[in-house]
Amino acid sequence: MRGQIETFVESDRLRQRAHALIPGGCHTYAKGDDQYPVLSPGIIARGLGSHVWDIDGNEYIEYGMGNRAVGLGHAYPEVLKAARAALALGCNFTRPHRIELECAERFLDLVSGAEMVKFCKDGSDATSAAVRLARAYTGRDMIACCADHPFFSTDDWFIGTTPVNSGVPAQTRELTVTFRYGVLQSARELFDTHPGRIAAFILEPSRGDDPPAGYLQALQRLCHENGALLILDEMITGFRWHKAGAQAVYGVVPDLSCFGKALGNGFALSALAGKREIMRLGGLDQSDRPRVFLLSTTHGAETHALAAGIATMEVYAREPVIEHLYRQGRKLREGITDSAQRHRVRDFFRVVGRDCCLAYATSDRDGQPSQAFRTLFLQEIIRRGILAPSLVVSYTHGDAEIEQTIEAVDAALAVYARALETGVENYLVGRPSEIVYRRFNRPVAPPPVRTAAE
C-alpha cells in the first residue's frame, strides 16, 4: 500500500476561492465540501481509467465515478476519439445534425421498449419533461414520486417535497405527493385520496435490492386502471443493471423512462424515451391535442456529446461491460465484508446495494446511522489513496485496484473499530459531513480576532 496522503495545501487554497465565487463551492451538491471530511481533496486535476489526481498531485483509485456518470472509465479512448472527431466539425448548428438521428437509432436499438427519444443535458431536464408530458397526456395536475428514492430533479415539482424547499411556492408543493417503494397499497391510497388527479407515478426501478416480484408490473396496471402513467427514472440503473436498463432486467416497459449519467460516459447527455402515443405530443405531426413544449435546449444536441453517447453505447453493446461491473463489485463486496468481520464491525459497517452499484452504510456503537462514522471512514480511505463516496466500479477497475482498495479499507476499518470503543471524536479530524437535505446550515464560526502583535 502507498504511503498515507495528508497534504491538501493547494486544494484548501482554491476551495476558499471557489466558495467566494460559486454558491456551495461547486455545481453539484453531492460534490460539496459538506459531503467530505476536512482531510480530503477539494479540487481534482485529471482522471484516467479508474484513477484520479488532485491538484496537489495526490493519486486515488476513484469509486462513484463522477456520481455514477462514468461507467467505462475516465478519458476512455474510444469515447474521446469519437467526441474529438465530432468537435473538429463544429459542435452546434442552426439546424439538426445527422448525428442526432444516429444517436436516436442507436439508443432505440438498445432500449427496445421505447419508441421515441429526445436528448438533453441532465437528468432533471429529462424527468421534468416526463412530468410535463404526463400532465399534458392525462390532463391531470398531480405527480406521485417515490419517497424512498432520494433525487429526481432540481425543479420545483420534486424539490418542494424535500426539507430544502425554500423558494418553492406552497401551491406547487401541494401538487406532488409521495408513496413507498414496493408497497402497492401505498399507491392505492394515493389514488383513493386524490381521485382523477394523479398524472403519473415516478420512481427508480431499484435502489439496489430487487423490487418485490411483480411489483413494477402491478404498479403499472394500477396506474393504467386509474388513468395515470408509469415513469421510470433510470439515471442510475441504466447502463449498470443492464445495457438496456433495469426495465430489461425486471421485464417491464414503462410509459416513459429517463436515462443519463453513464449514457455519455461523463459527457453531458440524458434522454427522455417512451411510447410514441405519448412522446408525439411534443412533436410537429399531431393536431388532435394542444402542443407540449417538451424539451428545447440550445446545447441538447451538441455533436460531441451525442458522438460520445454513440461510442459509449457501442462499447456496451459489443463488450462485457455489465458483466465486469457485477464481477468486480462482487469481489469488492466480499473482500470488504470479510474485513469487517475480521475487525468485528460488521454490525456497524455494511456494504449495501447491487454488485454493479455498491454503497456502504455506517452506524455508531448504538447501531444508529452516523455521519460522523461515515466521515471517519472516508477520511481514513482517502489517506490511503482511495476516493470512495460510494463503491461504484467502472469498466477500468481491474483486479489490482480491487485488491488495493480492500487493503486500504481493511486499515480504515481497524481505525473504525477503535473509534467504536473509545469515541469517534478521538479519530476524526474536524467536523463530520452533513446530509444534503437539511433545512439550515450549521452556523459558521467567525475567524479568530488577532492583535497587531500577532
Side-chain angles (χ1 to χ4, degrees):
M1 186 165 57
R2 292 171 293 185
Q4 286 199 351
I5 297 171
E6 301 283 355
T7 303
F8 305 101
V9 175
E10 190 66 6
S11 269
D12 289 341
R13 185 180 72 83
L14 289 184
R15 78 172 108 206
Q16 291 180 26
R17 289 174 56 193
H19 280 280
L21 301 175
I22 304 167
C26 65
H27 291 85
T28 303
Y29 278 103
K31 298 181 183 181
D33 282 334
D34 61 338
Q35 302 300 294
Y36 285 86
V38 169
L39 292 182
S40 65
I43 307 289
I44 298 298
R46 64 187 179 97
L48 183 64
S50 60
H51 293 244
V52 296
W53 288 259
D54 69 22
I55 202 162
D56 289 285
N58 300 312
E59 180 182 355
Y60 309 87
I61 300 171
E62 189 196 358
Y63 293 86
M65 302 304 293
N67 298 332
R68 301 174 180 85
V70 182
L72 298 177
H74 296 294
Y76 197 78
E78 187 170 332
V79 177
L80 285 187
K81 180 181 178 181
R84 287 192 184 108
L87 271 175
L89 301 176
C91 68
N92 212 328
F93 306 99
T94 55
R95 295 303 310 276
H97 190 282
R98 67 177 295 170
I99 200 170
E100 298 177 42
L101 174 60
E102 293 168 1
C103 194
E105 289 173 336
R106 167 55 74 181
F107 180 90
L108 294 173
D109 282 345
L110 209 58
V111 185
S112 57
E115 297 171 327
M116 298 186 81
V117 62
K118 192 144 184 173
F119 296 111
C120 46
K121 281 301 181 190
D122 59 45
S124 293
D125 283 349
T127 56
S128 291
V131 163
R132 184 183 305 118
L133 193 55
R135 283 171 164 160
Y137 183 78
T138 62
R140 299 173 174 187
D141 58 358
M142 295 186 72
I143 297 295
C145 70
C146 184
D148 300 297
H149 298 162
F151 186 77
F152 290 103
S153 174
T154 63
D155 290 322
D156 287 0
W157 68 267
F158 169 70
I159 290 298
T161 69
T162 75
V164 197
N165 59 14
S166 180
V168 180
Q171 299 94 321
T172 300
R173 298 200 300 266
E174 292 168 0
L175 293 177
T176 303
V177 290
T178 60
F179 64 97
R180 310 305 305 193
Y181 180 77
V183 183
L184 204 59
Q185 183 58 28
S186 177
R188 289 195 186 99
E189 289 171 358
L190 287 183
F191 281 123
D192 291 341
T193 305
H194 307 282
R197 291 199 60 189
I198 298 177
F201 274 60
I202 183 169
L203 71 160
E204 295 180 67
S206 169
R207 284 298 296 179
D209 294 333
D210 290 336
Y215 168 70
L216 294 175
Q217 291 82 353
L219 180 60
Q220 185 170 42
R221 284 195 302 272
L222 182 65
C223 286
H224 290 176
E225 289 167 0
N226 287 274
L229 303 183
L230 179 72
I231 304 170
L232 289 186
D233 178 342
E234 292 248 32
M235 295 297 158
I236 291 174
T237 53
F239 300 94
R240 282 205 170 271
W241 267 235
H242 188 281
K243 61 188 177 184
Q247 56 193 269
V249 174
Y250 301 130
V252 61
V253 179
D255 299 301
L256 298 169
S257 56
C258 305
F259 287 77
K261 292 196 181 284
L263 174 58
N265 196 51
F267 282 86
L269 184 62
S270 58
L272 167 62
K275 296 177 180 177
R276 184 179 306 277
E277 178 185 2
I278 305 167
M279 294 286 290
R280 64 184 282 273
L281 298 186
L284 302 179
D285 60 350
Q286 60 84 28
S287 58
D288 55 319
R289 291 171 180 254
R291 293 182 66 195
V292 176
F293 197 79
L294 187 55
L295 278 163
S296 183
T297 56
T298 298
H299 302 292
E302 285 177 319
T303 57
H304 60 285
L306 294 175
I310 292 171
T312 298
M313 288 185 280
E314 287 177 348
V315 173
Y316 276 84
R318 184 182 68 244
E319 299 186 26
V321 179
I322 300 296
E323 294 84 348
H324 180 88
L325 301 184
Y326 277 95
R327 181 172 59 252
Q328 298 304 85
R330 190 178 309 114
K331 290 178 183 177
L332 195 60
R333 182 201 294 273
E334 291 171 352
I336 293 175
T337 300
D338 287 347
S339 179
Q341 183 71 38
R342 186 166 55 256
H343 290 290
R344 298 180 180 178
V345 298
R346 193 167 176 177
D347 291 337
F348 309 97
F349 181 91
R350 296 180 297 110
V351 178
V352 297
R354 201 174 180 88
D355 287 338
C356 62
C357 192
L358 294 175
Y360 50 86
T362 56
S363 301
D364 60 22
R365 58 185 172 188
D366 295 323
Q368 298 302 308
S370 171
Q371 285 295 121
F373 274 93
R374 174 181 170 81
T375 311
L376 175 65
F377 177 75
L378 261 172
Q379 170 187 289
E380 294 304 311
I381 58 174
I382 286 170
R383 277 176 160 165
R384 294 162 176 83
I386 309 296
L387 184 59
S390 68
L391 294 169
V392 174
V393 299
S394 75
Y395 195 38
T396 47
H397 280 82
D399 290 344
E401 283 80 12
I402 299 299
E403 290 170 6
Q404 185 175 330
T405 301
I406 293 170
E407 183 180 357
V409 169
D410 185 76
L413 290 181
V415 178
Y416 198 111
R418 294 197 295 273
L420 285 169
E421 293 178 0
T422 61
V424 66
E425 67 279 0
N426 295 316
Y427 300 89
L428 182 60
V429 178
R431 48 82 186 138
S433 62
E434 301 272 9
I435 59 172
V436 169
Y437 293 139
R438 60 187 190 276
R439 189 153 181 80
F440 294 98
N441 291 322
R442 291 175 183 263
V444 178
V449 177
R450 298 186 183 275
T451 66
E454 293 178 305

